[in-house]
Structure formats: structure tokens, C-alpha cells
Amino acid sequence: MVKRNENLARLPAGYLFPEINRRRRSLLLRNPHAKIVSLGVGDTSRPLTPHVVEAMRKAVLGLGTPEGYSGYGEEAGMLDLRKRIAQRLYRGTVDAEEVFLSDGAKCDCGRWQILFGPRTRIAVQDPAYPVYVDGSVIAGDGGAFEGGRFADIVYMQCKPENGFFPTLDELPPVDLIYFCSPNNPTGAAATREQLEELVAFARARGAIILFDSAYSDFIRDDSLPRSIFEIEDARRSAIEIGSFSKTAGFTGVRLGWSVVPKELAFDDGRPVIDDWKRITTTIFNGASNIAQYGGIAALDDEGVEETRGTVAYYMENARIIKDALDALGIENYGGSNAPYLWARFPGRKSWDVFEEILERAHVVVTPGAGFGPAGEEFIRFSAFGPREDVLEAVERLRRTVALVRLP
Ligand code: PL4
């Protein structure tokens, strides 16, 4: 008999989002006529924009001709797209050769976890996108699961009380720090000073920051950094992962990237970028060429203009949700520079609040505990739904939330 991978055996329960879908299906089995609306998963609902569709249509038609056909490409992606990302999104702070295209930020997280390997000392914001912890555990990190947390993972508590930024000086030694800004799930966006502190901390401790900027296009406040590479010295202490998912609507098309600065090195002086090339050329065969043509279009003037419209639509959804939560007197955060609202239900278990909102209002949300221990008492609202669903959901919340917020 084949032995089960003991790392998988250490994971406590199913992955968060399938579990939410399971509960949603369970409601539908009991009540097949329920009209469920979702403010749950951060999945996009706006259609691809015309300019991007046209570029992808041309790419597909080209692939259907002998002259236009192409097979496997460079694993790192098309140079044209890498250049555009370096120039347009990073304004020259990174080189095109440091940009590696992929099939999405989540998939890159998994490959980074393979690269760093087992027994890496991990620190995560708490709460955090669950892939950081779950993927690290699968890769052999984290130690035993005890009392709702992994013994060897450093959970950097991020709560309203500390402005969603951890007290770094108190942390034990760490190797890899996951940091997401604008943050999923809290909606907090780190200031320049906070990221400077983070980079200085990583430099002093010899740690590497894995900076997830999947939501950078949602930043409205121009004083806030959109990339860790806006911070001096970050090139020697950070990797950044980005995504076309939320801004260009590529959650299904699949396109993301990692930026790996040439200066970033392991303790023996070997460049991290060399190992990243080794990993990606070995267990990845490059992002879809059709998606990459779409990405190139999304980053020219017309594409960027269209994308702004998509982002504005979701941010208007965020405003509608925020106004409703404010009107209901529910303490909430985020929604100004991020497409997520983080609402507090004092004294309540977040899975209980999730169940009650689902059962009474037929609205799917995401329970904060699914993002880590510090997410208890909180509910995440996603602004990625169609406008009519958002309006319907907030109307139903107005009618039912008073019933669920009492301990
Ligand atoms: C549901 C901080 C959503 N099944 O699409 P990708 O792979 O380029 O980006 C995924 C991603 C990366 N980094 C952060 C994210 O929040 C996400 C997407 N998160 C959410 O609701 O939290 C979608 C989740 C999906 C999943 O599990 O990733």
C-alpha cells in the first residue's frame, strides 16, 4: 500500500472555498427554491473588455494558421509582455528579465513553496489568504496543528487595534514572510512607512518577503505603495507575485507573474532567480499564449483605460456594501483601497455568523476564521459580484443582520 503524504494528513479540514460551496449546496438541497446571492468568493463577474477580447480573438485565429501557429514558448513568458509589466506596472524598478509569467498568483505561491522546501520558518499575516499556510504545510513546513494553529508558523496578528500591521520586533526568527497588500481579507493597504519597516526588518533578520500584490490596482490613495519594489532595499529582500485575475477579469483565463530581483540571494550567496528558473522550467511549461496576448493588450493605453472602468465598478460595489454596513452600525474596515470589507461581529464565531447569514438572508459571505485565528468574530464581504447581486444582498442584510449580530 502507498503511504499517504504525511504533510497532507497534518492539514485540519478541507480548503476554505470548497467548504463554503459545500454549505451553499446543502442549503439548496434543503431549499431548492432559495435564490442565493454571493458576496463570498473573490471571483470576478465583469466580462472581459473589448480591446482584450479582440487581441485574444486575433491570437486564436492566428493559431489556426500555419504562419501564426506557435507551440511551447519560453517558460518565463513572452518578452513583450515581460517588458510591458516591468515598464508599465513597475515603472522600471524591475527588469523585464526579472519578470516571470505564470498561470496565476496562487499557482506561483505553490511553486515558491516547493522552491523553499520543508522546514522553512514561515510568518504570515493573521488573517491571511489560506494558500500561504495550507500550501506551506503541504510543502513540509509548519509543524503540528495544535489549538487551531500550526506550531511552527508565526502568525502576525493584524487587527484593527494595531492598524492591521504586526509588531515586528516581537517576532521570533523567520525565513519567509508572506505579506499581502492591499490585503485579502482585511482590505487594509500598508503605508510606505509600514513597508519600509517590513523591508528593514527582513534585511536585519536575513528573511525574504513574498509580497502578494494581486489587488494593487484597487489602491485609490496615491500615497500608498503598489509594489514592494517602491521601497528602497526591497530588491535584496523581496519577491513579488502579481495577477491579471482581478483587474483584467482573468480568474478563468489565468495569467499572473512573479518578480525575482537578480540581487536576491540565499545565505550561501546563490541567486534565488537561478532556482526559480530551475523550478519553473522543470515543473511549469509557460502561461497560455492566448492569455499572454490578452495580457499585452490589457497593458497598452486602451487596455489600461478599460481596466480602470472595471476596477471602478467593483470599488463602487465596495462603497455600496460599506454604506450598508455603516448604516447597520456594524464595525467594518477596508473597501477604500481594496475590494474587500472586513466586518466585526463581537463575541460571535465567524462560522456561526456565516451560517446565519446564509440561512436567513441566503447571502454567501466568507467567515473570517477561514483566514486564520485572528479572523474569528469577522466576516469578509467581497465586492466582485454583479451590481444587482450586491444591491440585493445588502437589502437582505438590512432585513436580517440585526438578528445575527447579537452574541
Ligand atoms: C478562490 C491574495 C480569492 N479558488 O487568480 P490568481 O491565482 O492569480 O490569484 C489568486 C489570489 C492570489 N492572491 C490573493 C488572492 O486573494 C487570490 C484570490 N483569492 C478569494 O476570494 O480570496 C479567490 C479564492 C480561489 C482560490 O482559492 O484562490
Coordinates of all heavy atoms in Angstrom, one line a residue, residues 281-321:
T281 N 11.2 26.0 -15.1 CA 11.5 25.2 -16.4 C 11.3 23.7 -16.2 O 11.0 23.0 -17.1 CB 12.9 25.4 -16.9 OG1 13.8 25.2 -15.8 CG2 13.1 26.8 -17.4
T282 N 11.3 23.3 -14.9 CA 11.1 21.8 -14.6 C 9.7 21.4 -14.5 O 9.2 20.4 -15.0 CB 11.9 21.4 -13.4 OG1 13.3 21.9 -13.5 CG2 11.9 19.9 -13.2
I283 N 8.9 22.2 -13.7 CA 7.5 21.7 -13.4 C 6.5 22.7 -13.9 O 5.4 22.7 -13.5 CB 7.3 21.5 -11.9 CG1 7.6 22.7 -11.1 CG2 8.2 20.3 -11.4 CD1 7.2 22.6 -9.6
F284 N 6.8 23.6 -14.8 CA 5.9 24.5 -15.4 C 6.2 24.7 -16.9 O 7.4 24.7 -17.2 CB 5.9 25.9 -14.7 CG 5.0 26.9 -15.2 CD1 3.6 26.6 -15.2 CD2 5.4 28.1 -15.7 CE1 2.7 27.6 -15.7 CE2 4.5 29.1 -16.2 CZ 3.2 28.8 -16.2
N285 N 5.2 24.8 -17.8 CA 5.5 24.9 -19.2 C 5.1 26.2 -19.8 O 4.9 26.3 -21.0 CB 4.9 23.7 -19.9 CG 5.9 22.7 -20.4 OD1 7.1 23.0 -20.5 ND2 5.5 21.5 -20.8
G286 N 4.9 27.2 -19.0 CA 4.6 28.5 -19.5 C 3.1 28.8 -19.5 O 2.3 27.9 -19.5
A287 N 2.8 30.1 -19.4 CA 1.4 30.5 -19.4 C 0.8 30.4 -20.8 O 1.6 30.4 -21.8 CB 1.3 32.0 -18.9
S288 N -0.5 30.2 -20.9 CA -1.1 30.1 -22.2 C -0.8 31.3 -23.1 O -0.8 32.5 -22.7 CB -2.7 30.1 -22.0 OG -3.3 30.7 -23.0
N289 N -0.4 31.0 -24.3 CA -0.1 32.1 -25.3 C -1.3 33.0 -25.5 O -1.1 34.2 -25.6 CB 0.6 31.6 -26.6 CG -0.2 30.4 -27.2 OD1 -1.3 30.1 -26.8 ND2 0.4 29.7 -28.1
I290 N -2.5 32.4 -25.6 CA -3.7 33.3 -25.8 C -3.8 34.3 -24.6 O -4.1 35.5 -24.9 CB -4.9 32.4 -26.0 CG1 -4.7 31.4 -27.1 CG2 -6.2 33.2 -26.2 CD1 -5.7 30.3 -27.1
A291 N -3.7 33.7 -23.4 CA -3.8 34.6 -22.3 C -2.7 35.7 -22.3 O -3.0 36.9 -22.0 CB -3.6 33.8 -21.0
Q292 N -1.5 35.4 -22.7 CA -0.5 36.4 -22.8 C -0.8 37.5 -23.8 O -0.5 38.6 -23.5 CB 0.9 35.7 -23.1 CG 1.3 34.8 -21.9 CD 2.8 34.3 -22.1 OE1 3.7 35.1 -22.1 NE2 2.9 33.0 -22.3
Y293 N -1.4 37.1 -24.9 CA -1.7 38.2 -25.9 C -2.8 39.1 -25.2 O -2.8 40.3 -25.4 CB -2.2 37.6 -27.2 CG -1.1 37.1 -28.1 CD1 -0.9 35.8 -28.4 CD2 -0.2 38.0 -28.6 CE1 0.1 35.3 -29.2 CE2 0.9 37.6 -29.4 CZ 1.0 36.3 -29.7 OH 2.1 35.9 -30.5
G294 N -3.7 38.5 -24.5 CA -4.7 39.3 -23.7 C -4.0 40.2 -22.7 O -4.4 41.4 -22.6
G295 N -3.0 39.7 -22.1 CA -2.3 40.5 -21.1 C -1.5 41.6 -21.7 O -1.5 42.8 -21.2
I296 N -1.0 41.4 -22.9 CA -0.3 42.5 -23.6 C -1.3 43.6 -23.9 O -1.0 44.8 -23.7 CB 0.4 42.0 -24.9 CG1 1.6 41.0 -24.5 CG2 0.9 43.1 -25.8 CD1 2.2 40.3 -25.7
A297 N -2.4 43.2 -24.4 CA -3.5 44.2 -24.7 C -4.0 44.9 -23.4 O -4.2 46.2 -23.5 CB -4.6 43.6 -25.4
A298 N -4.1 44.2 -22.3 CA -4.6 44.8 -21.1 C -3.6 45.9 -20.6 O -4.0 46.7 -19.8 CB -4.8 43.7 -20.0
L299 N -2.4 45.8 -21.0 CA -1.4 46.8 -20.5 C -1.0 47.9 -21.6 O 0.0 48.6 -21.3 CB -0.1 46.0 -20.1 CG -0.3 45.2 -18.8 CD1 1.0 44.5 -18.4 CD2 -0.8 46.1 -17.6
D300 N -1.7 48.0 -22.7 CA -1.5 49.2 -23.5 C -2.5 50.2 -23.1 O -3.3 50.0 -22.2 CB -1.5 48.8 -25.0 CG -2.9 48.4 -25.5 OD1 -3.9 48.7 -24.8 OD2 -3.0 47.8 -26.6
D301 N -2.4 51.4 -23.7 CA -3.2 52.6 -23.2 C -4.7 52.2 -23.2 O -5.4 52.5 -22.2 CB -3.0 53.8 -24.1 CG -1.6 54.4 -23.9 OD1 -0.9 54.0 -22.8 OD2 -1.1 55.1 -24.7
E302 N -5.2 51.6 -24.3 CA -6.6 51.3 -24.3 C -7.0 50.3 -23.3 O -8.0 50.4 -22.6 CB -6.9 50.8 -25.7 CG -8.3 51.1 -26.2 CD -8.4 50.6 -27.7 OE1 -7.5 50.7 -28.5 OE2 -9.6 50.2 -28.0
G303 N -6.1 49.3 -23.1 CA -6.4 48.2 -22.1 C -6.4 48.8 -20.7 O -7.3 48.4 -19.9
V304 N -5.5 49.6 -20.4 CA -5.4 50.2 -19.0 C -6.6 51.0 -18.8 O -7.2 51.0 -17.7 CB -4.1 51.0 -18.9 CG1 -4.1 51.8 -17.6 CG2 -2.9 50.1 -18.8
E305 N -7.1 51.8 -19.8 CA -8.3 52.6 -19.6 C -9.5 51.8 -19.3 O -10.3 52.1 -18.4 CB -8.5 53.5 -20.9 CG -9.4 54.7 -20.8 CD -9.0 55.5 -19.6 OE1 -7.9 55.8 -19.3 OE2 -10.0 55.9 -18.9
E306 N -9.6 50.7 -20.1 CA -10.8 49.8 -19.9 C -10.7 49.1 -18.5 O -11.7 49.0 -17.8 CB -10.7 48.7 -20.9 CG -11.2 49.1 -22.3 CD -11.2 47.9 -23.3 OE1 -10.6 46.9 -23.0 OE2 -11.8 48.1 -24.4
T307 N -9.5 48.8 -18.1 CA -9.3 48.1 -16.8 C -9.8 49.0 -15.7 O -10.3 48.6 -14.7 CB -7.9 47.7 -16.6 OG1 -7.6 46.8 -17.6 CG2 -7.6 47.1 -15.3
R308 N -9.4 50.3 -15.9 CA -9.8 51.3 -14.8 C -11.3 51.3 -14.6 O -11.8 51.4 -13.5 CB -9.4 52.7 -15.3 CG -8.0 53.0 -15.1 CD -7.6 54.5 -14.9 NE -6.2 54.6 -14.8 CZ -5.5 55.1 -15.8 NH1 -6.0 55.6 -16.9 NH2 -4.1 55.1 -15.7
G309 N -12.1 51.1 -15.7 CA -13.5 51.1 -15.6 C -14.0 49.9 -14.8 O -14.9 49.9 -14.0
T310 N -13.3 48.7 -15.1 CA -13.7 47.5 -14.3 C -13.4 47.7 -12.8 O -14.3 47.3 -12.0 CB -12.9 46.3 -14.9 OG1 -13.0 46.2 -16.3 CG2 -13.3 45.0 -14.2
V311 N -12.2 48.2 -12.5 CA -11.9 48.4 -11.1 C -12.9 49.4 -10.4 O -13.3 49.2 -9.3 CB -10.4 48.9 -11.0 CG1 -10.1 49.4 -9.6 CG2 -9.4 47.8 -11.4
A312 N -13.2 50.4 -11.2 CA -14.2 51.4 -10.6 C -15.5 50.8 -10.3 O -16.2 51.1 -9.3 CB -14.3 52.6 -11.6
Y313 N -15.9 49.9 -11.2 CA -17.2 49.2 -11.0 C -17.2 48.4 -9.6 O -18.1 48.5 -8.8 CB -17.4 48.2 -12.1 CG -18.7 47.4 -12.1 CD1 -19.9 47.8 -12.7 CD2 -18.7 46.2 -11.4 CE1 -21.0 47.0 -12.6 CE2 -19.8 45.4 -11.3 CZ -21.0 45.8 -11.9 OH -22.1 45.1 -11.9
Y314 N -16.1 47.7 -9.4 CA -16.0 46.9 -8.2 C -15.9 47.8 -7.0 O -16.4 47.5 -5.9 CB -14.8 45.9 -8.2 CG -15.0 44.8 -9.3 CD1 -13.9 44.5 -10.2 CD2 -16.1 44.1 -9.4 CE1 -14.0 43.5 -11.2 CE2 -16.3 43.1 -10.4 CZ -15.2 42.8 -11.2 OH -15.4 41.8 -12.2
M315 N -15.2 48.9 -7.1 CA -15.0 49.8 -6.0 C -16.3 50.5 -5.6 O -16.5 50.8 -4.5 CB -13.9 50.8 -6.2 CG -12.5 50.1 -6.2 SD -12.2 49.0 -4.8 CE -11.7 50.2 -3.6
E316 N -17.2 50.7 -6.6 CA -18.5 51.2 -6.3 C -19.3 50.2 -5.6 O -20.0 50.5 -4.6 CB -19.2 51.6 -7.6 CG -20.6 52.1 -7.5 CD -20.8 53.3 -6.6 OE1 -19.8 54.0 -6.2 OE2 -22.0 53.6 -6.3
N317 N -19.1 48.9 -6.0 CA -19.8 47.8 -5.2 C -19.3 47.9 -3.7 O -20.1 47.7 -2.8 CB -19.4 46.4 -5.7 CG -20.2 46.1 -7.0 OD1 -21.1 46.8 -7.3 ND2 -19.8 45.0 -7.6
A318 N -18.0 48.1 -3.6 CA -17.4 48.1 -2.2 C -18.0 49.3 -1.4 O -18.4 49.1 -0.2 CB -15.9 48.3 -2.3
R319 N -18.2 50.4 -2.1 CA -18.8 51.5 -1.4 C -20.3 51.2 -1.0 O -20.7 51.5 0.2 CB -18.8 52.8 -2.3 CG -19.3 54.1 -1.6 CD -19.7 55.1 -2.6 NE -20.8 54.8 -3.4 CZ -22.1 54.7 -3.1 NH1 -22.4 55.0 -1.8 NH2 -23.0 54.4 -3.9
I320 N -21.0 50.5 -1.8 CA -22.4 50.2 -1.5 C -22.4 49.3 -0.3 O -23.2 49.5 0.6 CB -23.1 49.5 -2.7 CG1 -23.3 50.6 -3.9 CG2 -24.4 48.9 -2.3 CD1 -23.6 49.9 -5.2
I321 N -21.5 48.3 -0.3 CA -21.5 47.4 0.9 C -21.1 48.1 2.1 O -21.7 47.9 3.2 CB -20.6 46.2 0.6 CG1 -21.0 45.4 -0.6 CG2 -20.5 45.2 1.8 CD1 -19.9 44.4 -1.2

